[in-house]
Amino acid sequence: MDLETENRIAAILMKEAAELRQRAEREGVHVYLERPKVRARPNSRFLTATVLGVQQSQCLIAFSFLLVILCVDALVLSDKNA
């Protein structure tokens, strides 16, 4: 993950923490124990991790296909030379 993305995610988390702190000052510390009923936006850390996982899987699949193609080419060449 690049530095800009990490900084953007950190800024989102800091904003959420500040909002929660202000709400706790108004309503009491029990707000830290509540689960949000409806999230305004998806969890950016989860989505970032999911996208990175998919990208890694795609790279692995592409590499596997490349190896298969190279092995098939090697077998075809060895058959031609035999």
Side-chain angles (χ1 to χ4, degrees):
M1 185 178 335
D2 63 347
L3 184 60
E4 181 181 338
T5 304
E6 289 179 4
N7 287 339
R8 191 174 328 127
I9 291 171
I12 291 170
L13 294 174
M14 289 176 61
K15 180 181 175 189
E16 288 177 358
E19 290 171 356
L20 187 60
R21 185 186 62 223
Q22 289 174 351
R23 190 170 157 227
E25 289 173 357
R26 284 191 315 264
E27 301 174 28
V29 294
H30 64 84
V31 297
Y32 287 111
L33 302 175
E34 292 179 353
R35 289 187 171 269
K37 292 175 180 44
V38 176
R39 292 192 67 93
R41 60 187 168 283
N43 184 338
S44 57
R45 287 186 292 175
F46 171 77
L47 292 177
T48 301
T50 302
V51 169
L52 289 175
V54 169
Q55 287 175 340
Q56 289 175 346
S57 297
Q58 290 174 340
C59 286
L60 181 62
I61 291 169
F63 181 74
S64 299
F65 279 126
L66 179 61
L67 285 178
V68 168
I69 291 169
L70 291 174
C71 290
V72 169
D73 284 348
L75 288 173
V76 170
L77 288 176
S78 66
D79 286 344
K80 286 183 180 179
N81 292 336

